């Protein structure tokens, strides 16, 4: 039986390992670098590299890699062995296992073929990776993986990690200013923490291999709804199937060995859908660990002859998959800044941080929408299984009532336990008194906010980078005002009341799925960018560029490149889907429909030859009418495929990426929907033995 405590983090160059293997002075310098960002001198770097190499080799590693996160949304790695020739004379054959401080700190992968949005030309190949010591190295498949940032030769950022790290520095600086005003001089660092819940589907690998759409796009482009879906609500939290449980057990051990504290696993709402949730950690480490989790979900599934689908909407008609980003702020002393606390000072401090978040989400709601904008997530947002594309905050009735009373200059009395604020302008504050709203994009859940709009296949780096920066900007404005105030407590009260009054439009505690909320949100002036093509161009709005460049998180040029990369990805994803749909229709469905129609026509003709007898008239009429229906649907599908192909060809001629994205969304996608309607109707008529692809019933229930 596996000893779980011994297994946990056994493949991680953790603080425990460093303490054991590094000389004391080197360990102190290393911890200083992790906490403050101070540079390591070459001697210390070499000592760390030697210890890291020896530990990795002791654990079976033969290679090392700088593990980074380009703008593809997945990770990248180039493996180098530790092998170095001892004597370069021919025939000697002696080698050493070496790893230098220089190799640890910096690498040079080819940067020419990664998305750059115009930052790099194909002939400009040089790029650099730089070690991120705040995220521990780990061993994966006999390779020492060193988390790194990735930038171009000219210094522009080409990855998702670097802006996230920058945003964490920014919010740390501004949050500490606020804490100092409240008399907290002990805390030396404020970090944002994240726990990323991950939803996914598991299907049989053999069935997946017979579906070109699942192979090429990760989702079913065609498929009629089965007689049973999720209507009986019998899958959610239901007993886990034996095959799936074996997969989960294997997955847990892989994750635990990498120091990922996988805590919760269960069946989700849709058939074949599941969820895994870890404990929270710092935003940077959480991002790295979520990337590893997605990778291992797929690899472990393959070992069990399963396939893990991370697409946000792999099946029409049942719930899609999201990723819930549970975000909070905490000090190095363990204080959660979004915990109301028990003393007047703590309550007041909580309210000022809460107010900053409310203001940030309202002013920069478009950035939060951008952070969850992908072609896959467009199928899910607002589909009565996920938050809508309208950004709003859920606070709960009690906390909202407190802020309403403050705005009115009244005291709010709660029927529950209350915490005294100790300030005349502030009423008593209810503690941990909120329901959990599953329909809100940004929901307060007692001591953290849950951003529920992220798609299951997405990196969490962008969302947390943008959220950190927006909140930091507001904290900076608050700090500037409060530092200049003559009466600190009174000014804090005014800031809280004024902020709520100006930004309460973003707060909605009701059902965000309803059409009534859509209309109400429009009345309040809240944006509703329903598609990625609508949302992404807002990245370049002056206020957004000003925010990110002001705090040194992204330059205008880097924002332009990211906008271009995201729009280009949207166009390419939907183009691949459209081409795959055309191919499946022409090479699979239309031949099957034609064969079935011909079979029916022959059967009807044979019956007619027997003469008009009562026992043959009804069957013959059925065969004829069904053949006509199938033929008509096949003709319509053929026309839809041709129209889709023509629209796709027109999209290729559009030079501007933003314009191409809008055309794809407005014109190509409706043609795809039309083709799907025809194909799915045919599936309900064509004989099962002739239908070329596994059905939804097969995919969702044969696991």
């Amino acid at each position: 039986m596996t000893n779980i405590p011994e297994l946990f983090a056994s493949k991680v160059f953790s603080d425990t390992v460093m303490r054991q293997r590094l000389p004391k002075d080197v360990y102190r310098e290393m911890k200083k670098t992790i906490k403050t960002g101070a540079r390591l001198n070459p001697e210390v770097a070499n000592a760390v590299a030697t210890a890291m190499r020896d530990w990795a080799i002791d654990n079976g590693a033969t290679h090392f890699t700088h593990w980074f996160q380009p703008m593809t949304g997945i990770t990248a790695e180039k493996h180098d062995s530790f092998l170095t020739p001892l004597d370069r004379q021919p025939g000697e054959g002696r080698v050493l296992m070496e790893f230098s401080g220089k190799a640890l700190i910096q690498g040079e992968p080819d940067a020419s073929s990664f998305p750059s949005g115009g930052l790099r030309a194909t002939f400009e190949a040089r790029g650099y990776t730089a070690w991120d010591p705040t995220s521990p190295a780990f061993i994966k498949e006999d390779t020492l993986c060193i988390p790194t940032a990735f930038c171009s030769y000219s210094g522009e950022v080409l990855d998702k990690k670097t802006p996230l790290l920058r945003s964490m520095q920014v919010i740390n600086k501004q949050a500490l200013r606020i804490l100092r005003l409240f008399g907290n001089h002990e805390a030396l660092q404020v970090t944002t923490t994240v726990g990323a819940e991950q939803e996914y589907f598991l299907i049989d690998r053999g069935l997946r291999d017979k579906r070109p759409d699942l192979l090429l796009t990760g989702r079913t482009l065609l498929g009629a709804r089965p007689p049973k879906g999720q209507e009986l609500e019998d899958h959610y939290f239901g007993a886990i199937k034996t095959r799936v449980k074996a997969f989960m057990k294997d997955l847990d051990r892989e994750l635990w060995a990498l120091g990922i504290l996988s805590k919760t696993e269960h069946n989700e709402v849709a058939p074949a859908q599941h969820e895994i949730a870890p404990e929270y950690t710092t935003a940077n480490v959480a991002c790295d660990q979520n990337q590893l989790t997605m990778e291992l979900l797929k690899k472990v599934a393959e070992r069990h002859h399963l396939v893990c689908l991370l697409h946000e909407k792999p099946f029409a008609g049942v719930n899609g998959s999201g990723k819930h980003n549970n975000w909070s702020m905490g000090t190095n002393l363990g204080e959660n800044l979004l915990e109301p606390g028990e003393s007047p000072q703590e309550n007041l401090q909580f309210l000022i941080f809460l107010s900053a978040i409310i203001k940030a989400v309202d002013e920069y709601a478009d950035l939060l929408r951008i952070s969850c904008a992908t072609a896959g997530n467009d199928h899910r947002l607002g589909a009565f299984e996920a938050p809508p594309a309208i950004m709003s905050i859920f606070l709960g009735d009690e906390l909202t009532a407190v802020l309403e009373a403050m705005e009115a200059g009244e005291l709010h009395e709660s029927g529950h336990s209350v915490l005294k604020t100790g300030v005349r302008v502030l009423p008593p504050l209810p503690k941990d008194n909120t329901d959990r709203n599953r329909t809100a994009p940004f929901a307060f859940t007692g001591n953290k906010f849950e951003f529920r709009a992220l798609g299951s296949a997405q990196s969490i780096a962008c969302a947390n980078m943008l959220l950190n920066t927006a909140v930091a900007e507001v904290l900076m404005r608050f700090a500037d005002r409060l530092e200049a105030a003559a009466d600190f407590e009174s000014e804090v009260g005014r800031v809280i009341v004024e902020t709520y009054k100006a930004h309460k439009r973003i707060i909605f505690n009701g059902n965000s799925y309803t059409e009534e909320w859509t209309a109400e949100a429009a009345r309040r002036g809240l944006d509703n960018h329903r598609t990625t093509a609508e949302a992404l161009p807002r990245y370049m709005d002056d206020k957004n560029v000003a925010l990110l460049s002001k705090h040194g998180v992204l330059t205008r040029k880097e924002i332009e490149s990211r906008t271009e990369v995201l729009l280009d990805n949207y166009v390419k994803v939907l183009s691949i889907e459209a081409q795959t749909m055309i191919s499946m229709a022409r090479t699979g469905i239309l031949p099957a429909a034609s064969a079935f129609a011909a079979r029916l026509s022959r059967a009807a003709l044979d019956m007619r030859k027997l003469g008009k007898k009562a026992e043959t008239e009804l069957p013959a009429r059925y065969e004829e009418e069904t053949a006509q229906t199938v033929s008509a649907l096949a003709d319509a599908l053929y026309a839809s495929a041709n129209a889709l192909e023509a629209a796709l060809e027109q999209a290729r001629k559009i030079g501007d990426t933003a314009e191409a994205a809008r055309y794809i969304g407005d014109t190509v996608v409706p043609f795809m929907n039309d083709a799907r309607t025809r194909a799915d109707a045919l599936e309900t008529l064509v004989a099962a033995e002739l239908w070329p692809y596994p059905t939804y019933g097969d995919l969702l229930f044969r696991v």
Side-chain angles (χ1 to χ4, degrees), residues 51-82:
M52 196 180 286
R53 176 205 63 193
D54 292 346
W55 168 79
I57 291 171
D58 288 347
N59 283 275
T62 56
H63 290 69
F64 69 92
T65 183
H66 276 196
W67 185 79
F68 59 102
Q69 298 171 37
M71 287 190 281
T72 55
I74 58 176
T75 58
E77 50 197 67
K78 179 186 74 171
H79 297 187
D80 290 301
S81 73
F82 292 118

mmCIF file of all heavy atoms in Angstrom, residues 51-82:
data_model
loop_
_atom_site.group_PDB
_atom_site.id
_atom_site.type_symbol
_atom_site.label_atom_id
_atom_site.label_comp_id
_atom_site.label_asym_id
_atom_site.label_seq_id
_atom_site.Cartn_x
_atom_site.Cartn_y
_atom_site.Cartn_z
ATOM 1 N N ALA A 51 23.060 20.711 -6.527
ATOM 2 C CA ALA A 51 22.153 19.983 -5.635
ATOM 3 C C ALA A 51 20.915 19.507 -6.382
ATOM 4 O O ALA A 51 20.436 18.374 -6.177
ATOM 5 C CB ALA A 51 21.754 20.874 -4.462
ATOM 6 N N MET A 52 20.388 20.351 -7.260
ATOM 7 C CA MET A 52 19.208 19.991 -8.036
ATOM 8 C C MET A 52 19.508 18.821 -8.967
ATOM 9 O O MET A 52 18.713 17.889 -9.099
ATOM 10 C CB MET A 52 18.729 21.207 -8.838
ATOM 11 C CG MET A 52 17.317 21.101 -9.385
ATOM 12 S SD MET A 52 16.814 22.573 -10.306
ATOM 13 C CE MET A 52 16.553 23.753 -8.978
ATOM 14 N N ARG A 53 20.685 18.870 -9.603
ATOM 15 C CA ARG A 53 21.084 17.762 -10.498
ATOM 16 C C ARG A 53 21.216 16.457 -9.723
ATOM 17 O O ARG A 53 20.696 15.414 -10.141
ATOM 18 C CB ARG A 53 22.426 18.111 -11.155
ATOM 19 C CG ARG A 53 23.004 16.999 -12.036
ATOM 20 C CD ARG A 53 24.508 17.131 -12.152
ATOM 21 N NE ARG A 53 25.154 16.967 -10.850
ATOM 22 C CZ ARG A 53 26.430 17.272 -10.608
ATOM 23 N NH1 ARG A 53 27.185 17.799 -11.563
ATOM 24 N NH2 ARG A 53 26.953 17.068 -9.400
ATOM 25 N N ASP A 54 21.922 16.489 -8.592
ATOM 26 C CA ASP A 54 22.136 15.254 -7.823
ATOM 27 C C ASP A 54 20.809 14.676 -7.349
ATOM 28 O O ASP A 54 20.593 13.456 -7.395
ATOM 29 C CB ASP A 54 23.043 15.540 -6.624
ATOM 30 C CG ASP A 54 24.468 15.881 -7.043
ATOM 31 O OD1 ASP A 54 24.815 15.634 -8.219
ATOM 32 O OD2 ASP A 54 25.218 16.417 -6.204
ATOM 33 N N TRP A 55 19.929 15.553 -6.878
ATOM 34 C CA TRP A 55 18.602 15.074 -6.442
ATOM 35 C C TRP A 55 17.835 14.471 -7.601
ATOM 36 O O TRP A 55 17.210 13.402 -7.464
ATOM 37 C CB TRP A 55 17.825 16.244 -5.849
ATOM 38 C CG TRP A 55 16.367 15.951 -5.635
ATOM 39 C CD1 TRP A 55 15.814 15.242 -4.623
ATOM 40 C CD2 TRP A 55 15.282 16.350 -6.489
ATOM 41 N NE1 TRP A 55 14.449 15.174 -4.775
ATOM 42 C CE2 TRP A 55 14.094 15.843 -5.907
ATOM 43 C CE3 TRP A 55 15.200 17.083 -7.661
ATOM 44 C CZ2 TRP A 55 12.840 16.049 -6.483
ATOM 45 C CZ3 TRP A 55 13.954 17.294 -8.234
ATOM 46 C CH2 TRP A 55 12.793 16.783 -7.655
ATOM 47 N N ALA A 56 17.880 15.124 -8.763
ATOM 48 C CA ALA A 56 17.152 14.625 -9.935
ATOM 49 C C ALA A 56 17.696 13.273 -10.384
ATOM 50 O O ALA A 56 16.926 12.345 -10.682
ATOM 51 C CB ALA A 56 17.234 15.646 -11.067
ATOM 52 N N ILE A 57 19.012 13.142 -10.422
ATOM 53 C CA ILE A 57 19.621 11.872 -10.837
ATOM 54 C C ILE A 57 19.290 10.771 -9.837
ATOM 55 O O ILE A 57 18.991 9.626 -10.216
ATOM 56 C CB ILE A 57 21.146 12.043 -10.999
ATOM 57 C CG1 ILE A 57 21.446 12.942 -12.208
ATOM 58 C CG2 ILE A 57 21.834 10.692 -11.170
ATOM 59 C CD1 ILE A 57 22.900 13.335 -12.330
ATOM 60 N N ASP A 58 19.320 11.101 -8.554
ATOM 61 C CA ASP A 58 18.952 10.116 -7.528
ATOM 62 C C ASP A 58 17.519 9.622 -7.714
ATOM 63 O O ASP A 58 17.176 8.515 -7.291
ATOM 64 C CB ASP A 58 19.089 10.724 -6.129
ATOM 65 C CG ASP A 58 20.540 10.927 -5.712
ATOM 66 O OD1 ASP A 58 21.429 10.376 -6.395
ATOM 67 O OD2 ASP A 58 20.781 11.656 -4.729
ATOM 68 N N ASN A 59 16.693 10.463 -8.345
ATOM 69 C CA ASN A 59 15.295 10.090 -8.574
ATOM 70 C C ASN A 59 15.042 9.624 -10.013
ATOM 71 O O ASN A 59 13.899 9.614 -10.468
ATOM 72 C CB ASN A 59 14.386 11.272 -8.236
ATOM 73 C CG ASN A 59 14.196 11.448 -6.744
ATOM 74 O OD1 ASN A 59 13.333 10.819 -6.131
ATOM 75 N ND2 ASN A 59 15.026 12.298 -6.137
ATOM 76 N N GLY A 60 16.112 9.239 -10.707
ATOM 77 C CA GLY A 60 15.971 8.606 -12.017
ATOM 78 C C GLY A 60 15.981 9.535 -13.204
ATOM 79 O O GLY A 60 15.781 9.082 -14.345
ATOM 80 N N ALA A 61 16.224 10.830 -13.018
ATOM 81 C CA ALA A 61 16.210 11.764 -14.145
ATOM 82 C C ALA A 61 17.492 11.653 -14.958
ATOM 83 O O ALA A 61 18.585 11.476 -14.403
ATOM 84 C CB ALA A 61 16.025 13.192 -13.657
ATOM 85 N N THR A 62 17.371 11.766 -16.253
ATOM 86 C CA THR A 62 18.521 11.752 -17.163
ATOM 87 C C THR A 62 18.635 13.045 -17.958
ATOM 88 O O THR A 62 19.672 13.327 -18.541
ATOM 89 C CB THR A 62 18.404 10.584 -18.163
ATOM 90 O OG1 THR A 62 17.148 10.705 -18.861
ATOM 91 C CG2 THR A 62 18.447 9.244 -17.435
ATOM 92 N N HIS A 63 17.543 13.823 -18.000
ATOM 93 C CA HIS A 63 17.498 15.055 -18.788
ATOM 94 C C HIS A 63 16.962 16.207 -17.931
ATOM 95 O O HIS A 63 16.386 15.982 -16.865
ATOM 96 C CB HIS A 63 16.582 14.891 -20.008
ATOM 97 C CG HIS A 63 17.117 13.987 -21.064
ATOM 98 N ND1 HIS A 63 17.244 12.625 -20.897
ATOM 99 C CD2 HIS A 63 17.558 14.249 -22.335
ATOM 100 C CE1 HIS A 63 17.736 12.075 -22.000
ATOM 101 N NE2 HIS A 63 17.936 13.042 -22.879
ATOM 102 N N PHE A 64 17.146 17.408 -18.430
ATOM 103 C CA PHE A 64 16.522 18.579 -17.827
ATOM 104 C C PHE A 64 15.870 19.406 -18.927
ATOM 105 O O PHE A 64 16.213 19.289 -20.108
ATOM 106 C CB PHE A 64 17.538 19.425 -17.041
ATOM 107 C CG PHE A 64 18.553 20.127 -17.897
ATOM 108 C CD1 PHE A 64 18.335 21.425 -18.355
ATOM 109 C CD2 PHE A 64 19.748 19.500 -18.236
ATOM 110 C CE1 PHE A 64 19.275 22.082 -19.139
ATOM 111 C CE2 PHE A 64 20.695 20.142 -19.025
ATOM 112 C CZ PHE A 64 20.454 21.443 -19.482
ATOM 113 N N THR A 65 14.905 20.216 -18.537
ATOM 114 C CA THR A 65 14.239 21.086 -19.500
ATOM 115 C C THR A 65 13.785 22.360 -18.815
ATOM 116 O O THR A 65 13.431 22.345 -17.635
ATOM 117 C CB THR A 65 13.028 20.393 -20.152
ATOM 118 O OG1 THR A 65 12.458 21.263 -21.137
ATOM 119 C CG2 THR A 65 11.952 20.058 -19.131
ATOM 120 N N HIS A 66 13.813 23.452 -19.567
ATOM 121 C CA HIS A 66 13.167 24.682 -19.128
ATOM 122 C C HIS A 66 11.708 24.599 -19.572
ATOM 123 O O HIS A 66 11.412 24.640 -20.763
ATOM 124 C CB HIS A 66 13.864 25.897 -19.729
ATOM 125 C CG HIS A 66 15.056 26.332 -18.946
ATOM 126 N ND1 HIS A 66 15.634 27.560 -19.098
ATOM 127 C CD2 HIS A 66 15.773 25.701 -17.972
ATOM 128 C CE1 HIS A 66 16.658 27.672 -18.269
ATOM 129 N NE2 HIS A 66 16.762 26.546 -17.580
ATOM 130 N N TRP A 67 10.838 24.458 -18.602
ATOM 131 C CA TRP A 67 9.405 24.209 -18.812
ATOM 132 C C TRP A 67 8.696 25.553 -18.815
ATOM 133 O O TRP A 67 8.705 26.272 -17.824
ATOM 134 C CB TRP A 67 8.929 23.312 -17.675
ATOM 135 C CG TRP A 67 7.528 22.824 -17.708
ATOM 136 C CD1 TRP A 67 7.029 21.788 -18.446
ATOM 137 C CD2 TRP A 67 6.434 23.295 -16.910
ATOM 138 N NE1 TRP A 67 5.689 21.602 -18.161
ATOM 139 C CE2 TRP A 67 5.302 22.509 -17.230
ATOM 140 C CE3 TRP A 67 6.294 24.305 -15.966
ATOM 141 C CZ2 TRP A 67 4.063 22.706 -16.628
ATOM 142 C CZ3 TRP A 67 5.060 24.509 -15.367
ATOM 143 C CH2 TRP A 67 3.962 23.718 -15.701
ATOM 144 N N PHE A 68 8.101 25.927 -19.956
ATOM 145 C CA PHE A 68 7.521 27.268 -20.051
ATOM 146 C C PHE A 68 6.140 27.228 -20.682
ATOM 147 O O PHE A 68 5.682 26.184 -21.160
ATOM 148 C CB PHE A 68 8.457 28.223 -20.803
ATOM 149 C CG PHE A 68 8.814 27.814 -22.217
ATOM 150 C CD1 PHE A 68 8.194 28.403 -23.308
ATOM 151 C CD2 PHE A 68 9.796 26.865 -22.456
ATOM 152 C CE1 PHE A 68 8.527 28.056 -24.609
ATOM 153 C CE2 PHE A 68 10.140 26.503 -23.760
ATOM 154 C CZ PHE A 68 9.504 27.100 -24.834
ATOM 155 N N GLN A 69 5.480 28.384 -20.674
ATOM 156 C CA GLN A 69 4.079 28.465 -21.088
ATOM 157 C C GLN A 69 3.915 29.533 -22.172
ATOM 158 O O GLN A 69 3.598 30.681 -21.870
ATOM 159 C CB GLN A 69 3.201 28.803 -19.876
ATOM 160 C CG GLN A 69 3.262 27.745 -18.787
ATOM 161 C CD GLN A 69 2.569 28.157 -17.507
ATOM 162 O OE1 GLN A 69 1.547 28.816 -17.534
ATOM 163 N NE2 GLN A 69 3.132 27.773 -16.381
ATOM 164 N N PRO A 70 4.151 29.160 -23.422
ATOM 165 C CA PRO A 70 3.973 30.124 -24.518
ATOM 166 C C PRO A 70 2.505 30.488 -24.682
ATOM 167 O O PRO A 70 1.636 29.952 -23.984
ATOM 168 C CB PRO A 70 4.502 29.362 -25.736
ATOM 169 C CG PRO A 70 4.312 27.920 -25.392
ATOM 170 C CD PRO A 70 4.519 27.834 -23.909
ATOM 171 N N MET A 71 2.223 31.355 -25.617
ATOM 172 C CA MET A 71 0.851 31.848 -25.779
ATOM 173 C C MET A 71 -0.054 30.859 -26.519
ATOM 174 O O MET A 71 -1.151 31.207 -26.929
ATOM 175 C CB MET A 71 0.874 33.210 -26.464
ATOM 176 C CG MET A 71 1.370 34.308 -25.551
ATOM 177 S SD MET A 71 1.168 35.977 -26.200
ATOM 178 C CE MET A 71 2.537 36.089 -27.341
ATOM 179 N N THR A 72 0.399 29.617 -26.650
ATOM 180 C CA THR A 72 -0.469 28.560 -27.174
ATOM 181 C C THR A 72 -1.502 28.139 -26.136
ATOM 182 O O THR A 72 -2.503 27.509 -26.471
ATOM 183 C CB THR A 72 0.365 27.316 -27.539
ATOM 184 O OG1 THR A 72 1.124 26.922 -26.382
ATOM 185 C CG2 THR A 72 1.308 27.607 -28.700
ATOM 186 N N GLY A 73 -1.246 28.449 -24.861
ATOM 187 C CA GLY A 73 -2.139 28.031 -23.788
ATOM 188 C C GLY A 73 -1.755 26.704 -23.167
ATOM 189 O O GLY A 73 -2.335 26.293 -22.164
ATOM 190 N N ILE A 74 -0.784 26.011 -23.771
ATOM 191 C CA ILE A 74 -0.260 24.774 -23.189
ATOM 192 C C ILE A 74 1.212 24.993 -22.856
ATOM 193 O O ILE A 74 1.745 26.083 -23.040
ATOM 194 C CB ILE A 74 -0.455 23.574 -24.138
ATOM 195 C CG1 ILE A 74 0.236 23.829 -25.490
ATOM 196 C CG2 ILE A 74 -1.928 23.290 -24.353
ATOM 197 C CD1 ILE A 74 0.165 22.643 -26.434
ATOM 198 N N THR A 75 1.886 23.964 -22.369
ATOM 199 C CA THR A 75 3.280 24.117 -21.976
ATOM 200 C C THR A 75 4.210 23.649 -23.089
ATOM 201 O O THR A 75 3.799 22.955 -24.024
ATOM 202 C CB THR A 75 3.580 23.323 -20.698
ATOM 203 O OG1 THR A 75 3.270 21.935 -20.924
ATOM 204 C CG2 THR A 75 2.744 23.840 -19.548
ATOM 205 N N ALA A 76 5.465 24.035 -22.979
ATOM 206 C CA ALA A 76 6.480 23.662 -23.968
ATOM 207 C C ALA A 76 7.752 23.265 -23.230
ATOM 208 O O ALA A 76 8.022 23.745 -22.124
ATOM 209 C CB ALA A 76 6.752 24.823 -24.922
ATOM 210 N N GLU A 77 8.542 22.410 -23.851
ATOM 211 C CA GLU A 77 9.771 21.935 -23.223
ATOM 212 C C GLU A 77 10.735 21.401 -24.274
ATOM 213 O O GLU A 77 10.336 20.756 -25.244
ATOM 214 C CB GLU A 77 9.460 20.858 -22.174
ATOM 215 C CG GLU A 77 8.553 19.746 -22.670
ATOM 216 C CD GLU A 77 7.925 18.943 -21.541
ATOM 217 O OE1 GLU A 77 7.098 19.508 -20.792
ATOM 218 O OE2 GLU A 77 8.277 17.754 -21.411
ATOM 219 N N LYS A 78 12.013 21.671 -24.092
ATOM 220 C CA LYS A 78 13.092 21.120 -24.920
ATOM 221 C C LYS A 78 14.041 20.395 -23.981
ATOM 222 O O LYS A 78 14.574 20.999 -23.053
ATOM 223 C CB LYS A 78 13.828 22.246 -25.659
ATOM 224 C CG LYS A 78 14.980 21.755 -26.524
ATOM 225 C CD LYS A 78 15.768 22.915 -27.127
ATOM 226 C CE LYS A 78 16.635 23.589 -26.093
ATOM 227 N NZ LYS A 78 17.565 24.577 -26.646
ATOM 228 N N HIS A 79 14.261 19.099 -24.206
ATOM 229 C CA HIS A 79 15.017 18.280 -23.265
ATOM 230 C C HIS A 79 16.496 18.222 -23.636
ATOM 231 O O HIS A 79 16.843 17.979 -24.793
ATOM 232 C CB HIS A 79 14.460 16.857 -23.232
ATOM 233 C CG HIS A 79 13.054 16.772 -22.745
ATOM 234 N ND1 HIS A 79 12.413 15.580 -22.507
ATOM 235 C CD2 HIS A 79 12.142 17.739 -22.433
ATOM 236 C CE1 HIS A 79 11.179 15.809 -22.082
ATOM 237 N NE2 HIS A 79 10.994 17.112 -22.037
ATOM 238 N N ASP A 80 17.362 18.425 -22.645
ATOM 239 C CA ASP A 80 18.808 18.231 -22.781
ATOM 240 C C ASP A 80 19.252 17.232 -21.732
ATOM 241 O O ASP A 80 18.802 17.297 -20.578
ATOM 242 C CB ASP A 80 19.562 19.548 -22.583
ATOM 243 C CG ASP A 80 19.345 20.521 -23.721
ATOM 244 O OD1 ASP A 80 19.665 20.173 -24.865
ATOM 245 O OD2 ASP A 80 18.840 21.633 -23.458
ATOM 246 N N SER A 81 20.129 16.333 -22.102
ATOM 247 C CA SER A 81 20.625 15.366 -21.125
ATOM 248 C C SER A 81 21.690 16.009 -20.251
ATOM 249 O O SER A 81 22.290 17.030 -20.606
ATOM 250 C CB SER A 81 21.203 14.137 -21.833
ATOM 251 O OG SER A 81 22.445 14.453 -22.438
ATOM 252 N N PHE A 82 21.913 15.414 -19.097
ATOM 253 C CA PHE A 82 22.986 15.870 -18.215
ATOM 254 C C PHE A 82 24.359 15.453 -18.740
ATOM 255 O O PHE A 82 25.376 15.881 -18.213
ATOM 256 C CB PHE A 82 22.797 15.283 -16.801
ATOM 257 C CG PHE A 82 21.606 15.823 -16.063
ATOM 258 C CD1 PHE A 82 20.573 14.988 -15.665
ATOM 259 C CD2 PHE A 82 21.516 17.174 -15.748
ATOM 260 C CE1 PHE A 82 19.483 15.481 -14.964
ATOM 261 C CE2 PHE A 82 20.431 17.680 -15.055
ATOM 262 C CZ PHE A 82 19.413 16.832 -14.667
#
